[in-house]
Amino acid sequence: MRWTQTLIPTLREAPADAEILSHKLLLRAGLLRKLAGGVYTFLPLGLRSLRKVEQIVREEMDRAGAVEVLMPALQPPDIWQQSGRYESARDVLFKVRDSANREWLLGPTHEEVITLLAAAEINSYRQLPKNFYQIQVKFRDEIRPRFGLMRAREFIMKDAYSFDVSDEAAQVSYQKMYDAYTRIFARCGLKTLPVEADTGVIGGKFSHEFMVPAETGENEVVYCDTGNYAANLEKATSQGPITPTPAVSAGAAPERFPTPGVVTIEALASAPYNVAAHQQIKTLIHVVEGKLVIALLRGDDQLNEAKFAGRLGTATFRAATAEEILEATGAHPGSLGAVTSTRTKPEIKVFADEVLRGARGMTTGANEDGFHLRHVDMERDIRVDEWADLRTVRAGELCVSTGQPLKIRRAIEVGHVFKLGTKYSEKLGALFLDEAGARKPAVMGCYGIGVTRTLQAVIEQCNDKDGILWPMSVAPYQVCITPLNVAADNPGMKLAETLYAELTARGVEVILDDRDERPGVKFKDADLVGFPLRVSIGEKSLAKGEVEIKPRGGGVTPVKIEDALPRVLGLVQESEAR
RNA sequence: CGGAGCGUAGCUCAGCUUGGUAGAGCACCAGCUUUGGGAGCUGGCUGUCGCAGGUUCAAAUCCUGUCGCUCCGACCA
């Protein structure tokens, strides 16, 4: 490809609406342009890299035994009503109407469609296992699109769905996908960390997210240096808080004491009260499907909403308003008391975090403005309906499996593998007959990769001050040939043309920078776009019978003209093999 | 949806406080010079000042509304 033939609108400065580095580079390197918030056009170079990521995904999915299909983006709403997700997923559903005013959905994902297909076409255990995948545009009415391709309204996803005869067989399918994902991200040049992930309200143990460590990531990953434990913060557990919970009885009964104006854990922890946060009980009230629920945590702990949702069996809950709390308990939120509210309101279900088990000598609100209770004993003074792990792990706590201190860092989720079970196959009738002639629902798994997000994650991870450093596997072009004088009769340009033709003929993807620009402009652009190899041809080296080969991010190597072709071929092959 | 901020040339931004009829750099076009890391000089083009209403003799500037965008939170690949 000739530079002047394609469109590579590089920018010296990044548009003001790009915040993170990878988003700026996507725009500056001329890979992408925004049409509207969360909606983008891929320019020629961006599309080339995107296609390469897709091709890697396709090859590895095929190798893992999955088969490619293409499902419609447009879906009838009634299948979403059948699965129950018309309501539960309504916040992300894009709805459109046809000329007959009938409603349609733009697919945010395809469990319903594929399960109906399986229901219609798979009848016997002899047809299983099956794994269908597609690479397709998804639509999600994101509450807040951001960071370019990281969270878009319209994005490209690879989604796969496996169908198996049993839990054990589904586990095999799951492992195949897990292994395929490991290969896919490695081939894209990404360092990923597979982490145990929250399974949401479906439950179960089998879900992993593939994370790219990055400060700009929207997830937090808990891990320990042994490499034997990594989990999403939503899922992570530990041996418990570093400071132990008081367990010594400090009085025969709770004692009320005045605390005028104190409505926060912090205020009670400071002078003149000096009740450390870990000696306090935090009382949180949520509204779950119209009913109030109490969650008790140690004062210095944070409620982990994902864990709470898993325990409740629903993700649709919210913090109660100050009015609701006052009406139900007679206290304002800051003075809410675990003792009174759990004892006097039997209709409110009480969950307590495991860390509070056996706690004694605790302090909590008196359920009365301006007063707290001390010498509170969990077992003696508080009614608990269910004990549960509800707290969010903090860095420095010890790992349950390795005993090492846990660390927390931010990461980008690029893939998710999930054992679904029979939720969809039951609701949508994906049943088969087993060897004994019994009708059974297929055991499903689903596996997603954010293809466009992966592309941006590569840029987020592979860059320097000058621009992108594409891994050879996903670079828009492998080699950029840069003649410094582009006059048709110039010996350097003639050599560039020859080399361009020879490399292209051997299957190397080459872009020839045939622009009549100053050398500095060409070098800066080549670095910004990030082609893995650059071959520069100018008067100086030409006079010595040489050209220059420069890997992006590396130093210049002078090479004899006749050696240029084999050297470039060798370097391309070498970095592809890696 | 809650909180914060921003909309002026293709891009980055100034001008707004204190109303007087729109600017700079880069980009783009032409010419000359230059030619190994985003050149120099000369000349030129570029705007419904996001949109609508209001106040005023006069609005980019003040007021109201509205739309869009960005950031923080809940959701997710």
Side-chain angles (χ1 to χ4, degrees), chain A residues 227-246:
Chain A
N228 290 323
Y229 180 78
N232 192 307
L233 183 62
E234 295 180 337
K235 162 94 177 177
T237 55
S238 73
Q239 294 185 12
I242 295 164
T243 41
T245 307

Side-chain angles (χ1 to χ4, degrees), chain A residues 262-513:
Chain A
V262 172
V263 292
T264 61
I265 302 277
E266 294 73 39
L268 195 61
S270 9
Y273 309 105
N274 298 318
V275 180
H278 71 269
Q279 298 173 320
Q280 301 184 39
I281 299 171
K282 184 188 279 188
T283 310
L284 302 173
I285 301 198
H286 286 82
V287 179
V288 183
E289 289 164 353
K291 283 190 240 170
L292 295 184
V293 170
I294 288 178
L296 301 179
L297 288 148
R298 216 173 77 166
D300 56 339
D301 276 337
Q302 294 295 317
L303 177 68
N304 185 318
E305 297 197 359
K307 290 181 181 177
F308 195 39
R311 195 64 186 218
L312 292 169
T314 174
T316 52
F317 62 87
R318 59 171 175 84
T321 63
E323 293 74 34
E324 286 166 332
I325 291 172
L326 184 62
E327 187 186 343
T329 67
H332 290 100
S335 303
L336 205 50
V339 175
T340 315
S341 58
T342 60
R343 281 299 180 76
T344 62
K345 298 285 170 183
E347 69 278 13
I348 304 182
K349 188 164 184 181
V350 179
F351 290 83
D353 185 78
E354 292 286 356
V355 164
L356 290 174
R357 210 188 267 277
R360 294 171 152 194
M362 303 295 284
T363 299
T364 187
N367 231 49
E368 183 183 347
D369 289 353
F371 292 94
H372 278 75
L373 294 178
R374 60 181 156 221
H375 312 329
V376 173
D377 187 316
M378 275 305 285
E379 226 161 292
R380 184 188 65 199
D381 302 323
I382 292 178
R383 170 181 61 89
V384 174
D385 296 309
E386 280 192 41
W387 292 92
D389 173 25
L390 300 176
R391 65 188 292 273
T392 303
V393 164
R394 277 171 291 168
E397 294 175 2
L398 301 182
C399 177
V400 170
S401 49
T402 68
Q404 295 299 303
L406 294 170
K407 298 182 175 179
I408 300 182
R409 68 179 300 181
R410 299 189 72 85
I412 300 161
E413 180 189 356
V414 289
H416 195 165
V417 293
F418 201 123
K419 209 169 133 187
L420 277 179
T422 55
K423 177 185 169 181
Y424 293 96
S425 45
E426 282 172 19
K427 285 193 170 158
L428 296 161
L431 308 174
F432 68 96
L433 291 182
D434 69 6
E435 296 94 318
R439 192 171 292 273
K440 286 175 151 180
V443 181
M444 293 175 61
C446 70
Y447 318 92
I449 289 180
V451 177
T452 38
R453 181 184 284 180
T454 298
L455 182 69
Q456 186 167 348
V458 171
I459 297 173
E460 187 70 28
Q461 201 170 72
C462 306
N463 64 74
D464 66 12
K465 65 175 171 45
D466 293 317
I468 304 170
L469 281 101
W470 285 114
M472 187 65 82
S473 59
V474 293
Y477 290 93
Q478 297 168 318
V479 178
C480 177
I481 299 179
T482 308
L484 299 188
N485 185 326
V486 295
D489 58 351
N490 180 280
M493 185 60 180
K494 285 181 179 168
L495 177 59
E497 292 277 9
T498 307
L499 199 52
Y500 172 61
E502 287 173 337
L503 284 167
T504 304
R506 285 164 176 76
V508 177
E509 297 165 341
V510 190
I511 186 161
L512 175 64
D513 189 352

